[in-house]
Amino acid sequence: MKFTLSWLKDHLDTDASLEQIVERLTSIGLEVESVDDKAALKPFVIAKVLTASRHPDADKLQVLTVDTGDGKPVQVVCGAPNARAGLVGAFAAPGAYVPGIDVTLSVGKIRGVESHGMMCSERELQLSDEHNGIIDLPADAPVGTSFATYAHLDDPMIEINLTPNRPDATSVHGIARDLAASGLGTLKGDAVEPVAGEGDCPVKVSIEAPELCPGFALRLVRGVKNGPSPKWMQQRLLAIGLRPINALVDITNYVTFDRGRPLHVFDAKKVAGNLVVRRGRDGDKVLALDGREYSLTPEMCVIADDNGVESIAGVMGGEHSGCDENTTDVLIESALWDPITTARTGRALGIITDARYRFERGVDPEFMVPGVELATRLVLELCGGQPTKTDLTGYAGHTAKVVSLPLAEIKRLTGIEVEKAESLDILTRLGFGVKGDGDVVDVAVPSWRPDVDGKADLVEEVMRIHGVDNIAPQPLGAHDAVNGKILTTLQIRTRSARRALAVRGMMEAVTWSFIPAKHAELFGGGHESLRLSNPIAADMSDMRPSLLPGLIAAAQRNADRGIGDVALFEVSGTYENDTAEGQRRVAAGVRRGTAKLEGSGRYWSGNAGNVGVFDAKADAIAALEACGAPVDRLQIETGAPDWYHPGRSGVIKLGPKVVLGTFGEFHPRTLEGLDVSGPLCGFEVYVDAVPEPKAKPTKTKPRLDLSAFQAVKRDFAFVVDKAVEAGTLTRAALAADKKLISGVSVFDIFEGASLGEGKKSIAIEVSIQPVEKTLTDQDFEALAARIVENVKKQTGGALRS
């Protein structure tokens, strides 16, 4: 919301300085975003042209001698057609910044003649679009004085940042009311004297959708003469960023900002028949004032006549019935529109206007008729004419909300003791009606405050006027112990997983939480509990059951643009059902092409290999390790979900029941369903399934379990059936003696005819760590025998000869 200081003082009688006003606005909750004190116009002075002669080398230029008031005339080269001796205008000396042309002046030569400054036009000072000549002031304008002061342009512009719950502050009058209530002046009379009219308005209004339009006021003014609005109005509109159009349109814009009352004017001669307020119909279209054609729907409210739609209610008027320089009869409309419908219409059509901004927040219903009266008075003053009576349709009057306020709530909710008399006085000054003198009072909410619903809102009103500056600062209490962690375990794991995957050369992606139903079905979703009742697009119909569809699609989009080797990851939420418990925190990633950890693309020794199941496994293990999972105790098993290749995938478990993740290459059927091409592998790790780490002792204790004896490694090769998994064999070997065997790893798998049909050889390395004594040969032989026996018992394998 923007306004100028002089505009504010039209409604507020105050001697406060600009700095005091700005400080008070912020302190009462109307935060000041910026202040433009018109410093750019301060260098311009009133100057008089003493002589004007033709430029010796240019027919359209003149060489002027200009008196700037300091007794030393300066030479200026000027191309304005109205430049002449005796003209008084606005002069800019070298070094001045001219905002209209975005130039800082310097002494220059124009066709060989030096020019020490320039005489300015209105457009160069951003006063209007006029640029056919330089500013021509009255002959008695004081030469040498500030042009900004003389023209009343030294008027600071203030911009405040409004929260959505303050529709009353979308007007200069409402801001003045708040400042007056805070004690920074006196609010000038806000009553609008009605304008007497002759006869009834010939254009009648019918409301077919009263739920969308609670009231409609209309008035005809005949015999107007439309033209430019006066300078004072143009300057105020320009100061807040609005372009003056003509007097009739400028009046509606002025009243919108002055009183927060959006209006619309129709050229009465362009309106066919009567007006009707109704819902839009399929096929309805309107060419709006912004020059664009909009298609309307039954969810929208419109104003129509016999020709069709003339205005999008509460949002923007139509171009067909708009007022121009030929308008002689004007219809002034002031109506009430449903805030929700207005907001939805504006969003659906992509239209942002000052009217929509106010209607969707809620305007003062009691100012609907005074708004017409104010606009009529301005039309008569600026354009002349003869008004009819105001035709009021549908408005049933305003019933004030009454809120019961226990005064003790002020202390309870704010922690500050505010005297009862002061609290009631603040509410009264803000326009609230207070009844009762006990500890609980009834407060009637004024019509311009639709945001006030309960006692907490009233406490907020008292508090912001009383002043948050009155809250005494309190030091934070000292802690007797070291502060605990701030982030939750899940937040820490999320950050750790992101770092770990980024270190592995993967790029973080952010994908939609909504995916097509077909994609959801491929990844275990597609059921009704994940389907959106009102999706924003047809291909965003379901909540995602997995992060992989979005990542795979992102990888394919990169491939389509020539970047085939990509590694992407995301740590975010997936959904199993529509309950809070059904949301999971998942870390997932995909690799495509040759995007391996060690690099991708072409090498001097040949192309890098394609990504595969072991790349996905390594990524998954790295993410789990970063989340604090005990990777030395993880189990890798078959049985990954159907979207993975059955022979090139796996499930990561911690014990028989806890599933921590899945990984693998994707099934060709999955890639076909997603319309993507490979090679592609990926993983998902369930961050929230990792068990909480055990609490660590607060004091570091020395490890007593370190062995003083040297570790020994022994290799074994077993012949087993092809169906036997390597993990089963390693667990069997490890179980032979958990005290001595510290680790078992596979280093070779061999298949060949020499082993027999359906057989394979698995070679393992067993790490042996003596604890109590140095092992003898007999000890090693006994341990080896137990290993062989244990493997034979659990896998049926025999030691390879």
Short mmCIF file of all heavy atoms in Angstrom, two decimals, residues 233-255:
data_model
loop_
_atom_site.label_atom_id
_atom_site.label_comp_id
_atom_site.label_asym_id
_atom_site.label_seq_id
_atom_site.Cartn_x
_atom_site.Cartn_y
_atom_site.Cartn_z
N MET A 233 -4.44 15.37 -8.63
CA MET A 233 -4.84 13.96 -8.63
C MET A 233 -3.86 13.13 -9.44
O MET A 233 -3.47 12.03 -9.03
CB MET A 233 -6.25 13.81 -9.20
CG MET A 233 -6.78 12.39 -9.20
SD MET A 233 -8.50 12.25 -9.76
CE MET A 233 -9.38 12.93 -8.36
N GLN A 234 -3.43 13.67 -10.59
CA GLN A 234 -2.46 12.94 -11.39
C GLN A 234 -1.16 12.71 -10.62
O GLN A 234 -0.57 11.63 -10.68
CB GLN A 234 -2.17 13.71 -12.69
CG GLN A 234 -3.33 13.74 -13.67
CD GLN A 234 -2.91 14.29 -15.02
OE1 GLN A 234 -1.78 14.10 -15.44
NE2 GLN A 234 -3.83 14.97 -15.69
N GLN A 235 -0.72 13.74 -9.91
CA GLN A 235 0.54 13.62 -9.17
C GLN A 235 0.44 12.56 -8.08
O GLN A 235 1.39 11.79 -7.86
CB GLN A 235 0.91 14.97 -8.57
CG GLN A 235 1.38 15.99 -9.60
CD GLN A 235 1.54 17.37 -9.02
OE1 GLN A 235 1.33 17.60 -7.83
NE2 GLN A 235 1.91 18.33 -9.87
N ARG A 236 -0.68 12.48 -7.42
CA ARG A 236 -0.83 11.46 -6.37
C ARG A 236 -0.90 10.06 -6.98
O ARG A 236 -0.29 9.13 -6.44
CB ARG A 236 -2.09 11.74 -5.54
CG ARG A 236 -1.91 12.91 -4.60
CD ARG A 236 -3.09 13.10 -3.68
NE ARG A 236 -2.82 14.16 -2.71
CZ ARG A 236 -3.68 14.59 -1.80
NH1 ARG A 236 -4.90 14.04 -1.73
NH2 ARG A 236 -3.35 15.55 -0.96
N LEU A 237 -1.59 9.91 -8.08
CA LEU A 237 -1.66 8.60 -8.72
C LEU A 237 -0.29 8.19 -9.26
O LEU A 237 0.13 7.03 -9.12
CB LEU A 237 -2.70 8.61 -9.84
CG LEU A 237 -4.16 8.82 -9.40
CD1 LEU A 237 -5.07 8.85 -10.63
CD2 LEU A 237 -4.61 7.72 -8.45
N LEU A 238 0.42 9.13 -9.87
CA LEU A 238 1.77 8.81 -10.36
C LEU A 238 2.69 8.43 -9.22
O LEU A 238 3.54 7.54 -9.34
CB LEU A 238 2.33 10.00 -11.12
CG LEU A 238 1.77 10.24 -12.53
CD1 LEU A 238 2.20 11.60 -13.05
CD2 LEU A 238 2.24 9.14 -13.48
N ALA A 239 2.55 9.10 -8.07
CA ALA A 239 3.42 8.83 -6.94
C ALA A 239 3.28 7.40 -6.43
O ALA A 239 4.25 6.82 -5.93
CB ALA A 239 3.13 9.82 -5.80
N ILE A 240 2.07 6.83 -6.56
CA ILE A 240 1.88 5.46 -6.08
C ILE A 240 1.95 4.44 -7.20
O ILE A 240 1.62 3.27 -7.02
CB ILE A 240 0.53 5.33 -5.34
CG1 ILE A 240 -0.65 5.61 -6.28
CG2 ILE A 240 0.49 6.25 -4.13
CD1 ILE A 240 -2.01 5.37 -5.64
N GLY A 241 2.38 4.90 -8.40
CA GLY A 241 2.64 3.96 -9.48
C GLY A 241 1.50 3.73 -10.44
O GLY A 241 1.53 2.77 -11.22
N LEU A 242 0.46 4.58 -10.41
CA LEU A 242 -0.68 4.44 -11.33
C LEU A 242 -0.58 5.48 -12.44
O LEU A 242 -0.25 6.65 -12.18
CB LEU A 242 -2.00 4.61 -10.59
CG LEU A 242 -2.36 3.53 -9.56
CD1 LEU A 242 -3.70 3.85 -8.92
CD2 LEU A 242 -2.40 2.16 -10.19
N ARG A 243 -0.88 5.07 -13.66
CA ARG A 243 -0.83 5.98 -14.80
C ARG A 243 -2.18 6.68 -14.96
O ARG A 243 -3.21 6.02 -15.09
CB ARG A 243 -0.50 5.19 -16.06
CG ARG A 243 -0.43 6.04 -17.32
CD ARG A 243 0.00 5.19 -18.50
NE ARG A 243 -0.96 4.12 -18.78
CZ ARG A 243 -2.01 4.26 -19.59
NH1 ARG A 243 -2.25 5.44 -20.18
NH2 ARG A 243 -2.82 3.24 -19.81
N PRO A 244 -2.20 8.00 -14.92
CA PRO A 244 -3.46 8.71 -15.15
C PRO A 244 -4.01 8.41 -16.54
O PRO A 244 -3.25 8.35 -17.51
CB PRO A 244 -3.07 10.19 -15.01
CG PRO A 244 -1.81 10.18 -14.22
CD PRO A 244 -1.10 8.92 -14.60
N ILE A 245 -5.33 8.21 -16.64
CA ILE A 245 -5.96 7.86 -17.92
C ILE A 245 -6.90 8.97 -18.35
O ILE A 245 -6.69 9.63 -19.36
CB ILE A 245 -6.69 6.51 -17.80
CG1 ILE A 245 -5.68 5.41 -17.45
CG2 ILE A 245 -7.41 6.18 -19.11
CD1 ILE A 245 -6.29 4.07 -17.17
N ASN A 246 -7.95 9.17 -17.60
CA ASN A 246 -8.85 10.31 -17.80
C ASN A 246 -9.56 10.56 -16.48
O ASN A 246 -9.43 9.77 -15.53
CB ASN A 246 -9.84 10.07 -18.95
CG ASN A 246 -10.66 8.80 -18.77
OD1 ASN A 246 -11.34 8.64 -17.75
ND2 ASN A 246 -10.61 7.90 -19.76
N ALA A 247 -10.30 11.65 -16.41
CA ALA A 247 -10.86 12.06 -15.13
C ALA A 247 -11.76 11.00 -14.53
O ALA A 247 -11.67 10.70 -13.33
CB ALA A 247 -11.62 13.38 -15.31
N LEU A 248 -12.64 10.39 -15.34
CA LEU A 248 -13.58 9.42 -14.80
C LEU A 248 -12.87 8.19 -14.24
O LEU A 248 -13.19 7.71 -13.15
CB LEU A 248 -14.59 9.01 -15.88
CG LEU A 248 -15.57 10.11 -16.33
CD1 LEU A 248 -16.41 9.62 -17.49
CD2 LEU A 248 -16.45 10.55 -15.16
N VAL A 249 -11.91 7.66 -14.99
CA VAL A 249 -11.17 6.49 -14.53
C VAL A 249 -10.29 6.85 -13.35
O VAL A 249 -10.18 6.09 -12.37
CB VAL A 249 -10.34 5.89 -15.68
CG1 VAL A 249 -9.48 4.74 -15.17
CG2 VAL A 249 -11.25 5.40 -16.80
N ASP A 250 -9.65 8.01 -13.40
CA ASP A 250 -8.78 8.43 -12.30
C ASP A 250 -9.55 8.61 -11.00
O ASP A 250 -9.03 8.33 -9.91
CB ASP A 250 -8.06 9.73 -12.66
CG ASP A 250 -7.04 9.55 -13.79
OD1 ASP A 250 -6.81 8.39 -14.18
OD2 ASP A 250 -6.50 10.55 -14.28
N ILE A 251 -10.80 9.05 -11.09
CA ILE A 251 -11.62 9.20 -9.87
C ILE A 251 -11.83 7.84 -9.20
O ILE A 251 -11.73 7.72 -7.98
CB ILE A 251 -12.97 9.86 -10.23
CG1 ILE A 251 -12.75 11.36 -10.53
CG2 ILE A 251 -13.98 9.68 -9.10
CD1 ILE A 251 -13.97 12.05 -11.11
N THR A 252 -12.13 6.81 -10.00
CA THR A 252 -12.34 5.49 -9.40
C THR A 252 -11.05 4.97 -8.76
O THR A 252 -11.09 4.39 -7.67
CB THR A 252 -12.83 4.49 -10.46
OG1 THR A 252 -11.83 4.31 -11.47
CG2 THR A 252 -14.11 4.96 -11.10
N ASN A 253 -9.91 5.19 -9.41
CA ASN A 253 -8.64 4.76 -8.82
C ASN A 253 -8.34 5.54 -7.55
O ASN A 253 -7.83 4.98 -6.58
CB ASN A 253 -7.51 4.94 -9.83
CG ASN A 253 -7.57 3.93 -10.96
OD1 ASN A 253 -8.09 2.83 -10.79
ND2 ASN A 253 -7.07 4.30 -12.13
N TYR A 254 -8.66 6.84 -7.58
CA TYR A 254 -8.39 7.68 -6.41
C TYR A 254 -9.21 7.23 -5.21
O TYR A 254 -8.70 7.09 -4.09
CB TYR A 254 -8.68 9.14 -6.74
CG TYR A 254 -8.34 10.09 -5.62
CD1 TYR A 254 -7.03 10.48 -5.40
CD2 TYR A 254 -9.34 10.58 -4.78
CE1 TYR A 254 -6.71 11.35 -4.37
CE2 TYR A 254 -9.04 11.44 -3.74
CZ TYR A 254 -7.72 11.83 -3.53
OH TYR A 254 -7.40 12.67 -2.51
N VAL A 255 -10.51 6.99 -5.43
CA VAL A 255 -11.37 6.56 -4.33
C VAL A 255 -10.95 5.17 -3.82
O VAL A 255 -11.06 4.87 -2.62
CB VAL A 255 -12.85 6.57 -4.77
CG1 VAL A 255 -13.75 6.01 -3.69
CG2 VAL A 255 -13.28 7.98 -5.14
#
